[in-house]
Amino acid sequence: MYTAHPDRYADMPYRRTGRSGLKLPALSLGLWHNFGPDRPAETQRAILRRAFDLGVTHFDLANNYGPPPGAAETALGEALKADFARYRDELVISTKAGYLMWPGPYGEWGSRKYLLSSLDQSLSRMGLDHVDIFYSHRFDPDTPLEETMGALHTAVQQGKALYVGVSNYNAEQTREAARILGELGTPLLINQPRYSMLDRRPEDEGLMDALDELQVGSIAYSPLEQGLLTSRYLDGIPEDSRAASDSPFLNTDALTEELVGRLRALADIASARGQSLAQMALSWVLRGGRLTSALVGASSPQQLEDSVAATRDLDFSDEELARIDAIVQQ
């Protein structure tokens, strides 16, 4: 039987999520990749156990994570039953709905019917009576935002979610979502945007400013840019890498000589800091405390340990930040 490490809260920094009472670890575990039937179940459980032992108390999912869709939630449900049943109240578990999950007109986007049906299915797969955070995974241009936010509010009223969030919503959409939820009496807890050294749209397009003003939390996905901000591609494209696969999220066309040159220059800065490129990339998104948490994936416990080590040095000199900006903005 798994017994959690007694010092699991000793080293991980925790940050308050907006103006709520909920704190999240600086690094959260995303189950977007690496959790499904194509991976050994024991490896998946080992990653989850090591995460919790390191103070990573937040496991983030969505209904369509896998492959196939739903597989990640099923895998987590099995791990919860086997290893984490007595630790449930120490965990923050989130899921989302918005992307295609089943065929027909009710299997995606932001209608009340889809969101609440999807949440019921997610809870069944995970063997839970509630999640801690339920997200609208993307803005639906064809459904009134009042309906989408109303469905999130209903999930809280039904006791099936403790908090609600949005993902892939821009600044204007987030402001309106927060207004509607505020009037309903269910505050918007958090926004989950894509954000990294190479993708700064949350800063450039005003989302981070909006979240500061609204006192809403933020958690970044893809802080390593699907593996670009690691040492994996500094000397070519490994055959077993995501870029060499048929992944829709990263392909060989993205890896230009110019980009690889910039990645190598960033790796030199990381080395001078005593970090890997991946560690520096995580430290960068967490710098200054503006971001609540960053989501990392892991294919092994060792990879997770390497990511968590980034939280030991979140400070950058002005010179380091200027050098990073000059390289990224070339």
Side-chain angles (χ1 to χ4, degrees):
M1 177 182 292
Y2 165 69
T3 299
H5 196 287
D7 296 329
R8 57 190 175 276
Y9 297 113
D11 298 319
M12 174 63 66
Y14 296 85
R15 296 177 172 184
R16 190 170 298 279
T17 311
R19 61 181 174 181
S20 77
L22 182 68
K23 291 183 178 181
L24 293 180
L27 286 183
S28 299
L29 181 63
L31 278 68
W32 185 9
H33 302 294
N34 303 315
F35 286 82
D38 60 337
R39 306 280 180 166
E42 188 52 41
T43 299
Q44 297 175 49
R45 287 178 59 189
I47 293 169
L48 293 167
R49 292 193 295 260
R50 189 61 182 140
F52 191 54
D53 283 345
L54 292 169
V56 179
T57 54
H58 179 207
F59 299 157
D60 178 79
L61 302 102
N63 58 355
N64 63 334
Y65 287 178
E73 290 178 330
T74 298
L76 180 64
E78 292 170 354
L80 291 173
K81 183 178 179 180
D83 296 324
F84 296 100
R86 58 180 169 150
Y87 300 113
R88 173 63 182 98
D89 291 336
E90 296 182 49
L91 292 170
V92 174
I93 298 172
S94 61
T95 197
K96 315 176 196 71
Y99 287 93
L100 182 63
M101 189 59 190
W102 60 82
Y106 318 120
E108 62 178 327
W109 292 107
S111 72
R112 180 180 182 86
K113 177 172 178 59
Y114 166 66
L115 291 174
L116 295 178
S117 296
S118 177
L119 178 56
D120 284 342
Q121 292 180 22
S122 292
L123 292 174
S124 177
R125 281 189 290 269
M126 291 186 283
L128 296 173
D129 60 5
H130 75 277
V131 292
D132 297 281
I133 308 171
F134 181 48
Y135 288 87
S136 168
H137 205 167
R138 60 173 170 172
F139 178 80
D140 183 350
D142 296 322
T143 297
L145 195 55
E146 288 82 0
E147 178 176 341
T148 301
M149 294 303 106
L152 298 186
H153 172 63
T154 294
V156 173
Q157 286 187 310
Q158 292 176 339
K160 296 177 181 178
L162 301 185
Y163 301 93
V164 298
V166 295
S167 181
N168 300 302
Y169 278 52
N170 65 28
E172 180 182 355
Q173 293 159 355
T174 300
R175 290 181 190 278
E176 184 64 5
R179 181 192 67 77
I180 295 168
L181 285 168
E183 292 178 354
L184 292 171
T186 297
L188 177 62
L189 175 78
I190 195 167
N191 187 313
Q192 185 177 133
R194 181 167 182 152
Y195 177 51
S196 74
M197 284 195 295
L198 299 180
D199 187 345
R200 304 187 180 193
R201 284 174 293 176
E203 290 182 358
D204 298 339
E205 297 176 1
L207 176 61
M208 298 299 284
D209 290 337
L211 297 178
D212 288 344
E213 294 167 15
L214 295 167
Q215 294 183 281
V216 169
S218 54
I219 180 168
Y221 73 88
S222 293
L224 301 181
E225 279 298 305
Q226 296 295 307
L228 282 179
L229 288 169
T230 70
S231 60
R232 196 144 173 76
Y233 300 106
L234 299 181
D235 298 306
I237 302 175
E239 292 183 1
D240 62 344
S241 67
R242 187 170 298 159
S245 71
D246 58 356
S247 170
F249 305 107
L250 181 64
N251 56 60
T252 55
D253 293 340
L255 284 162
T256 63
E257 288 187 17
E258 185 270 339
L259 174 58
V260 172
R262 285 192 287 159
L263 295 177
R264 288 173 179 160
L266 290 171
D268 289 341
I269 299 175
S271 179
R273 286 172 51 85
Q275 292 183 311
S276 67
L277 176 55
Q279 288 170 337
M280 186 178 77
L282 293 172
S283 296
W284 186 89
V285 297
L286 292 168
R287 75 198 187 284
R290 196 178 191 189
L291 192 76
T292 309
S293 184
L295 282 164
V296 295
S299 58
S300 69
Q302 293 73 29
Q303 188 179 45
L304 182 65
E305 291 168 4
D306 184 71
S307 294
V308 170
T311 63
R312 298 172 193 155
D313 186 2
L314 302 180
D315 296 324
F316 288 80
S317 68
D318 291 341
E319 180 184 358
E320 287 173 328
L321 292 174
R323 290 177 63 197
I324 290 169
D325 289 347
I327 292 168
V328 170
Q329 295 168 7
Q330 286 178 358

